[in-house]
Amino acid sequence: NSATDLWVLTGWIPEQVFLQSDDLEPDHFWKRTFDAFNFGDVLITMGTGKMTAKTERELGLAGEHDYAVLDLREVDGQRLLLVKNPWCEGTSWRGKTKQAPRCDANPEQDMAGLSSTKLNEDTNAVECSRDLLNDDDQLSPGTFWMDIDNVLQHFESIYLNWNPGLFACRQDMHFAWDLRDQSLGRQQHRGQFASLSKQTIWVLLWRHLRNAIPAGATDDEIAEGRYTIDLQGHIALAAYSSQGRRVLLPGKHVVRGWFVDSPQTLIKLSDCKPGVAHTIVPLEQGLAAAEHTFTLSVFGNSPTALAEATLRSLYINTLSAAWTKKTAGGNAHSPTYPINPQFS
């Protein structure tokens, strides 16, 4: 997605916001994004979901496509986004707000510096500030204003890339996660951190991408695109208040993110108390049975201590045994039951 692209190009922290989530609070989301945008601390892009060809024609939007957001404004009570289709021949959104009250602005005026559009009797009167802005001839092709309500209706995700300069401190942990040994199960690598002061902590997990190109591949095979980067699988992050100890079974989490197919996923922990450790658990679904490498990054405005999660028990004793034809004694009603492996 576009947040990954901007993370690679700029190093700004990627966040994916699912607009159809029940947890989304539109008013709170708009305020924090609008304020950060005006301070120059966030880059915004948006992505649509799957659409039929008919819906694409009716809306003027492309399905499964990312758009750039060039500006945010509040005009006449409307919360507006200036959206840009990066395709040079891309279409523009055709919708209008039918229920919006008609503006009382004088057509001869400049619409508070936003548009010089004039209305006349031969054209259909637009019904709100957004539609007046979209009638501006100075808008470049593929660029249009859209209100936040229609964004929530027609887009699937908003991607935010945050200025890392918002945080004074950062700590990284690099680790490998080997999923090849299925006998051990798909165990989760667990890290833990403790904040040294009360603050909000952002935790970013990013997966390292590798080309699946064997050593003996020829130039022609590579040029044909026979070998590509392995992007299968989904990852997520969860945080637990388990004093920095390993989590044996997924219990009640403090924060848990969505499973995403992008290489990065972000969670935020608010009001972390000084000296209280949290356990961070990367999760996966469908990753290939291979060794994967990751980086866990913690951002905050005061130092944090990031380290491996500790074991829940101080002492561990491991005994090995095998269930074979000679040691399979059957159930408790069988006379050979005592030959089963037993421990005390």
Side-chain angles (χ1 to χ4, degrees), residues 46-67:
M46 306 191 300
T48 55
K50 291 184 178 180
M51 294 182 182
T52 64
K54 179 181 178 182
T55 301
E56 289 183 340
R57 290 192 301 269
E58 291 176 348
L59 296 178
L61 298 175
E64 296 183 299
H65 180 50
D66 287 349
Y67 292 76

PDB file of all heavy atoms in Angstrom, residues 46-67:
ATOM      1  N   MET A  46      -5.154   7.475   0.541  1.00  0.00           N
ATOM      2  CA  MET A  46      -6.364   6.692   0.777  1.00  0.00           C
ATOM      3  C   MET A  46      -6.459   5.583  -0.255  1.00  0.00           C
ATOM      4  O   MET A  46      -5.958   5.717  -1.377  1.00  0.00           O
ATOM      5  CB  MET A  46      -7.620   7.571   0.693  1.00  0.00           C
ATOM      6  CG  MET A  46      -7.601   8.794   1.588  1.00  0.00           C
ATOM      7  SD  MET A  46      -9.216   9.609   1.688  1.00  0.00           S
ATOM      8  CE  MET A  46      -9.489  10.037  -0.032  1.00  0.00           C
ATOM      9  N   GLY A  47      -7.117   4.491   0.122  1.00  0.00           N
ATOM     10  CA  GLY A  47      -7.271   3.364  -0.784  1.00  0.00           C
ATOM     11  C   GLY A  47      -8.713   2.892  -0.854  1.00  0.00           C
ATOM     12  O   GLY A  47      -9.407   2.825   0.165  1.00  0.00           O
ATOM     13  N   THR A  48      -9.169   2.584  -2.054  1.00  0.00           N
ATOM     14  CA  THR A  48     -10.503   2.028  -2.244  1.00  0.00           C
ATOM     15  C   THR A  48     -10.448   0.504  -2.156  1.00  0.00           C
ATOM     16  O   THR A  48      -9.387  -0.101  -2.262  1.00  0.00           O
ATOM     17  CB  THR A  48     -11.077   2.431  -3.613  1.00  0.00           C
ATOM     18  OG1 THR A  48     -10.149   2.027  -4.638  1.00  0.00           O
ATOM     19  CG2 THR A  48     -11.287   3.932  -3.696  1.00  0.00           C
ATOM     20  N   GLY A  49     -11.607  -0.103  -1.974  1.00  0.00           N
ATOM     21  CA  GLY A  49     -11.718  -1.555  -1.996  1.00  0.00           C
ATOM     22  C   GLY A  49     -12.168  -2.036  -3.367  1.00  0.00           C
ATOM     23  O   GLY A  49     -12.098  -1.306  -4.362  1.00  0.00           O
ATOM     24  N   LYS A  50     -12.646  -3.264  -3.412  1.00  0.00           N
ATOM     25  CA  LYS A  50     -13.120  -3.819  -4.675  1.00  0.00           C
ATOM     26  C   LYS A  50     -14.405  -3.118  -5.106  1.00  0.00           C
ATOM     27  O   LYS A  50     -15.275  -2.827  -4.291  1.00  0.00           O
ATOM     28  CB  LYS A  50     -13.364  -5.319  -4.535  1.00  0.00           C
ATOM     29  CG  LYS A  50     -12.093  -6.142  -4.371  1.00  0.00           C
ATOM     30  CD  LYS A  50     -12.402  -7.627  -4.338  1.00  0.00           C
ATOM     31  CE  LYS A  50     -11.122  -8.451  -4.216  1.00  0.00           C
ATOM     32  NZ  LYS A  50     -11.410  -9.909  -4.186  1.00  0.00           N
ATOM     33  N   MET A  51     -14.523  -2.842  -6.404  1.00  0.00           N
ATOM     34  CA  MET A  51     -15.709  -2.215  -6.973  1.00  0.00           C
ATOM     35  C   MET A  51     -16.054  -2.897  -8.288  1.00  0.00           C
ATOM     36  O   MET A  51     -15.164  -3.374  -9.000  1.00  0.00           O
ATOM     37  CB  MET A  51     -15.478  -0.718  -7.242  1.00  0.00           C
ATOM     38  CG  MET A  51     -15.268   0.147  -6.032  1.00  0.00           C
ATOM     39  SD  MET A  51     -15.081   1.892  -6.508  1.00  0.00           S
ATOM     40  CE  MET A  51     -14.805   2.644  -4.901  1.00  0.00           C
ATOM     41  N   THR A  52     -17.331  -2.916  -8.608  1.00  0.00           N
ATOM     42  CA  THR A  52     -17.734  -3.401  -9.921  1.00  0.00           C
ATOM     43  C   THR A  52     -17.437  -2.323 -10.956  1.00  0.00           C
ATOM     44  O   THR A  52     -17.269  -1.138 -10.621  1.00  0.00           O
ATOM     45  CB  THR A  52     -19.228  -3.737  -9.940  1.00  0.00           C
ATOM     46  OG1 THR A  52     -19.980  -2.526  -9.709  1.00  0.00           O
ATOM     47  CG2 THR A  52     -19.572  -4.754  -8.856  1.00  0.00           C
ATOM     48  N   ALA A  53     -17.383  -2.726 -12.218  1.00  0.00           N
ATOM     49  CA  ALA A  53     -17.137  -1.759 -13.288  1.00  0.00           C
ATOM     50  C   ALA A  53     -18.235  -0.702 -13.330  1.00  0.00           C
ATOM     51  O   ALA A  53     -17.975   0.479 -13.594  1.00  0.00           O
ATOM     52  CB  ALA A  53     -17.037  -2.487 -14.631  1.00  0.00           C
ATOM     53  N   LYS A  54     -19.471  -1.098 -13.031  1.00  0.00           N
ATOM     54  CA  LYS A  54     -20.582  -0.147 -13.023  1.00  0.00           C
ATOM     55  C   LYS A  54     -20.396   0.889 -11.927  1.00  0.00           C
ATOM     56  O   LYS A  54     -20.596   2.093 -12.146  1.00  0.00           O
ATOM     57  CB  LYS A  54     -21.900  -0.895 -12.827  1.00  0.00           C
ATOM     58  CG  LYS A  54     -23.118   0.014 -12.778  1.00  0.00           C
ATOM     59  CD  LYS A  54     -24.398  -0.783 -12.557  1.00  0.00           C
ATOM     60  CE  LYS A  54     -25.603   0.150 -12.461  1.00  0.00           C
ATOM     61  NZ  LYS A  54     -26.857  -0.615 -12.197  1.00  0.00           N
ATOM     62  N   THR A  55     -20.002   0.440 -10.732  1.00  0.00           N
ATOM     63  CA  THR A  55     -19.786   1.373  -9.620  1.00  0.00           C
ATOM     64  C   THR A  55     -18.644   2.330  -9.934  1.00  0.00           C
ATOM     65  O   THR A  55     -18.716   3.526  -9.625  1.00  0.00           O
ATOM     66  CB  THR A  55     -19.487   0.592  -8.333  1.00  0.00           C
ATOM     67  OG1 THR A  55     -20.583  -0.282  -8.040  1.00  0.00           O
ATOM     68  CG2 THR A  55     -19.277   1.535  -7.160  1.00  0.00           C
ATOM     69  N   GLU A  56     -17.591   1.822 -10.552  1.00  0.00           N
ATOM     70  CA  GLU A  56     -16.474   2.691 -10.926  1.00  0.00           C
ATOM     71  C   GLU A  56     -16.928   3.787 -11.879  1.00  0.00           C
ATOM     72  O   GLU A  56     -16.533   4.950 -11.732  1.00  0.00           O
ATOM     73  CB  GLU A  56     -15.358   1.862 -11.562  1.00  0.00           C
ATOM     74  CG  GLU A  56     -14.602   0.973 -10.582  1.00  0.00           C
ATOM     75  CD  GLU A  56     -13.461   0.235 -11.255  1.00  0.00           C
ATOM     76  OE1 GLU A  56     -13.492   0.119 -12.497  1.00  0.00           O
ATOM     77  OE2 GLU A  56     -12.539  -0.209 -10.549  1.00  0.00           O
ATOM     78  N   ARG A  57     -17.751   3.422 -12.858  1.00  0.00           N
ATOM     79  CA  ARG A  57     -18.234   4.428 -13.818  1.00  0.00           C
ATOM     80  C   ARG A  57     -19.137   5.449 -13.135  1.00  0.00           C
ATOM     81  O   ARG A  57     -19.059   6.649 -13.413  1.00  0.00           O
ATOM     82  CB  ARG A  57     -18.983   3.744 -14.962  1.00  0.00           C
ATOM     83  CG  ARG A  57     -18.094   2.938 -15.902  1.00  0.00           C
ATOM     84  CD  ARG A  57     -18.858   2.549 -17.156  1.00  0.00           C
ATOM     85  NE  ARG A  57     -20.047   1.759 -16.853  1.00  0.00           N
ATOM     86  CZ  ARG A  57     -20.067   0.429 -16.792  1.00  0.00           C
ATOM     87  NH1 ARG A  57     -18.944  -0.253 -16.992  1.00  0.00           N
ATOM     88  NH2 ARG A  57     -21.182  -0.223 -16.520  1.00  0.00           N
ATOM     89  N   GLU A  58     -19.997   4.984 -12.237  1.00  0.00           N
ATOM     90  CA  GLU A  58     -20.943   5.888 -11.587  1.00  0.00           C
ATOM     91  C   GLU A  58     -20.247   6.862 -10.641  1.00  0.00           C
ATOM     92  O   GLU A  58     -20.616   8.033 -10.556  1.00  0.00           O
ATOM     93  CB  GLU A  58     -21.994   5.078 -10.832  1.00  0.00           C
ATOM     94  CG  GLU A  58     -22.952   4.310 -11.736  1.00  0.00           C
ATOM     95  CD  GLU A  58     -23.908   3.441 -10.940  1.00  0.00           C
ATOM     96  OE1 GLU A  58     -23.670   3.272  -9.717  1.00  0.00           O
ATOM     97  OE2 GLU A  58     -24.884   2.930 -11.531  1.00  0.00           O
ATOM     98  N   LEU A  59     -19.244   6.374  -9.915  1.00  0.00           N
ATOM     99  CA  LEU A  59     -18.573   7.209  -8.917  1.00  0.00           C
ATOM    100  C   LEU A  59     -17.387   7.975  -9.484  1.00  0.00           C
ATOM    101  O   LEU A  59     -16.976   8.993  -8.919  1.00  0.00           O
ATOM    102  CB  LEU A  59     -18.099   6.345  -7.743  1.00  0.00           C
ATOM    103  CG  LEU A  59     -19.172   5.646  -6.912  1.00  0.00           C
ATOM    104  CD1 LEU A  59     -18.521   4.801  -5.823  1.00  0.00           C
ATOM    105  CD2 LEU A  59     -20.125   6.664  -6.288  1.00  0.00           C
ATOM    106  N   GLY A  60     -16.801   7.471 -10.553  1.00  0.00           N
ATOM    107  CA  GLY A  60     -15.577   8.081 -11.056  1.00  0.00           C
ATOM    108  C   GLY A  60     -14.359   7.704 -10.237  1.00  0.00           C
ATOM    109  O   GLY A  60     -13.326   8.376 -10.298  1.00  0.00           O
ATOM    110  N   LEU A  61     -14.476   6.624  -9.465  1.00  0.00           N
ATOM    111  CA  LEU A  61     -13.365   6.127  -8.651  1.00  0.00           C
ATOM    112  C   LEU A  61     -12.901   4.782  -9.195  1.00  0.00           C
ATOM    113  O   LEU A  61     -13.686   4.040  -9.785  1.00  0.00           O
ATOM    114  CB  LEU A  61     -13.792   5.964  -7.187  1.00  0.00           C
ATOM    115  CG  LEU A  61     -14.240   7.224  -6.447  1.00  0.00           C
ATOM    116  CD1 LEU A  61     -14.732   6.859  -5.047  1.00  0.00           C
ATOM    117  CD2 LEU A  61     -13.111   8.244  -6.361  1.00  0.00           C
ATOM    118  N   ALA A  62     -11.634   4.472  -8.981  1.00  0.00           N
ATOM    119  CA  ALA A  62     -11.078   3.190  -9.402  1.00  0.00           C
ATOM    120  C   ALA A  62     -11.022   2.249  -8.206  1.00  0.00           C
ATOM    121  O   ALA A  62     -10.633   2.655  -7.107  1.00  0.00           O
ATOM    122  CB  ALA A  62      -9.683   3.376  -9.991  1.00  0.00           C
ATOM    123  N   GLY A  63     -11.418   1.014  -8.401  1.00  0.00           N
ATOM    124  CA  GLY A  63     -11.381   0.035  -7.330  1.00  0.00           C
ATOM    125  C   GLY A  63      -9.968  -0.437  -7.030  1.00  0.00           C
ATOM    126  O   GLY A  63      -9.123  -0.521  -7.925  1.00  0.00           O
ATOM    127  N   GLU A  64      -9.715  -0.727  -5.749  1.00  0.00           N
ATOM    128  CA  GLU A  64      -8.408  -1.200  -5.282  1.00  0.00           C
ATOM    129  C   GLU A  64      -7.282  -0.303  -5.796  1.00  0.00           C
ATOM    130  O   GLU A  64      -6.307  -0.752  -6.387  1.00  0.00           O
ATOM    131  CB  GLU A  64      -8.188  -2.657  -5.701  1.00  0.00           C
ATOM    132  CG  GLU A  64      -9.181  -3.618  -5.054  1.00  0.00           C
ATOM    133  CD  GLU A  64      -8.924  -5.066  -5.419  1.00  0.00           C
ATOM    134  OE1 GLU A  64      -8.992  -5.394  -6.621  1.00  0.00           O
ATOM    135  OE2 GLU A  64      -8.656  -5.867  -4.504  1.00  0.00           O
ATOM    136  N   HIS A  65      -7.444   0.977  -5.535  1.00  0.00           N
ATOM    137  CA  HIS A  65      -6.519   1.990  -6.056  1.00  0.00           C
ATOM    138  C   HIS A  65      -6.244   3.004  -4.951  1.00  0.00           C
ATOM    139  O   HIS A  65      -7.122   3.323  -4.149  1.00  0.00           O
ATOM    140  CB  HIS A  65      -7.154   2.667  -7.274  1.00  0.00           C
ATOM    141  CG  HIS A  65      -6.302   3.722  -7.910  1.00  0.00           C
ATOM    142  ND1 HIS A  65      -4.983   3.520  -8.242  1.00  0.00           N
ATOM    143  CD2 HIS A  65      -6.593   5.007  -8.274  1.00  0.00           C
ATOM    144  CE1 HIS A  65      -4.498   4.623  -8.794  1.00  0.00           C
ATOM    145  NE2 HIS A  65      -5.449   5.537  -8.817  1.00  0.00           N
ATOM    146  N   ASP A  66      -5.014   3.514  -4.894  1.00  0.00           N
ATOM    147  CA  ASP A  66      -4.627   4.487  -3.875  1.00  0.00           C
ATOM    148  C   ASP A  66      -4.633   5.901  -4.442  1.00  0.00           C
ATOM    149  O   ASP A  66      -4.216   6.131  -5.584  1.00  0.00           O
ATOM    150  CB  ASP A  66      -3.232   4.165  -3.326  1.00  0.00           C
ATOM    151  CG  ASP A  66      -3.241   2.944  -2.422  1.00  0.00           C
ATOM    152  OD1 ASP A  66      -4.345   2.488  -2.060  1.00  0.00           O
ATOM    153  OD2 ASP A  66      -2.156   2.443  -2.078  1.00  0.00           O
ATOM    154  N   TYR A  67      -5.106   6.839  -3.623  1.00  0.00           N
ATOM    155  CA  TYR A  67      -5.187   8.252  -3.977  1.00  0.00           C
ATOM    156  C   TYR A  67      -4.375   9.073  -2.976  1.00  0.00           C
ATOM    157  O   TYR A  67      -4.284   8.718  -1.799  1.00  0.00           O
ATOM    158  CB  TYR A  67      -6.643   8.738  -3.943  1.00  0.00           C
ATOM    159  CG  TYR A  67      -7.538   8.159  -5.019  1.00  0.00           C
ATOM    160  CD1 TYR A  67      -8.008   6.851  -4.935  1.00  0.00           C
ATOM    161  CD2 TYR A  67      -7.926   8.922  -6.117  1.00  0.00           C
ATOM    162  CE1 TYR A  67      -8.838   6.318  -5.914  1.00  0.00           C
ATOM    163  CE2 TYR A  67      -8.760   8.402  -7.102  1.00  0.00           C
ATOM    164  CZ  TYR A  67      -9.206   7.099  -6.992  1.00  0.00           C
ATOM    165  OH  TYR A  67     -10.026   6.587  -7.970  1.00  0.00           O
TER     166      TYR A  67
END
